[in-house]
Amino acid sequence: MNPEVRQIIDTLGLDRHPEGGWFRETFRDTEVDGTGRARSTAICYLLEAGETSEWHRVTDAAEAWHYYRGAPLVITVSPDGHDASAHHLGPDLLRNQRPQFVVPANWWQTATSLGAYTLVGCTVAPGFTFDSFEMAPDNWRPTPRKSSGR
């Protein structure tokens, strides 16, 4: 493991995440919605070289990704399991990297660091619960729709 990555993990107290990478919840709103769910939550999330945030979705909440440190990150999303688009989080705005990206509720998502590591934050609203978290089956990928030939 890269010594800088180890230091970040130790400093932030990160643990392994079920989708891959390292995380720690840093905020859970004490204000709740009508169902008793936190209005929002936030985590720090780190992917090191060779790790992937495997395909997953949050079925009932939007997730905003925020770039903090390290290499750019590519996040690929699919609204329907067929169409997919890739977006780059990072500091270089002139190279089409952006400091934030929002994944709408129920969209599939996966992410990979483009270097030694990437440290990001993720904010979920309404607040994240594992009840609304769905991992895709192993080796799942969006399947492009077949052309009708027209």
Side-chain angles (χ1 to χ4, degrees):
M1 175 178 286
N2 175 315
E4 185 177 0
V5 169
R6 178 82 261 161
Q7 186 175 17
I8 292 168
I9 289 168
D10 291 345
T11 299
L12 296 177
L14 305 181
D15 292 313
R16 281 288 185 190
H17 196 288
E19 75 196 37
W22 299 84
F23 87 109
R24 183 169 74 82
E25 185 174 274
T26 57
F27 175 75
R28 180 166 292 272
D29 200 335
T30 57
E31 295 292 321
V32 296
D33 64 15
T35 68
R37 185 171 173 176
R39 290 189 181 170
S40 66
T41 55
I43 65 169
C44 285
Y45 183 68
L46 183 140
L47 285 170
E48 61 181 309
E51 289 186 316
T52 297
S53 168
E54 298 295 339
W55 282 102
H56 67 282
R57 63 182 169 182
V58 179
T59 58
D60 61 357
E63 182 171 3
W65 289 65
H66 316 272
Y67 172 82
Y68 293 149
R69 181 182 177 126
L73 174 134
V74 62
I75 181 166
T76 304
V77 295
S78 176
D80 56 11
H82 298 284
D83 304 315
S85 58
H87 308 269
H88 290 85
L89 259 64
D92 195 340
L93 302 179
L94 300 180
R95 290 188 167 204
N96 282 336
Q97 297 171 13
R98 297 295 180 259
Q100 297 178 338
F101 180 78
V102 177
V103 179
N106 210 38
W107 282 38
W108 293 102
Q109 58 181 298
T110 183
T112 304
S113 175
L114 297 176
Y117 75 92
T118 306
L119 177 64
V120 297
C122 296
T123 303
V124 176
F128 179 83
T129 66
F130 273 103
D131 292 343
S132 62
F133 175 80
E134 181 183 356
M135 290 289 297
D138 288 344
N139 299 315
W140 182 90
R141 301 281 183 269
T143 307
R145 297 176 204 260
K146 291 187 178 183
S147 172
S148 63
R150 296 181 192 177

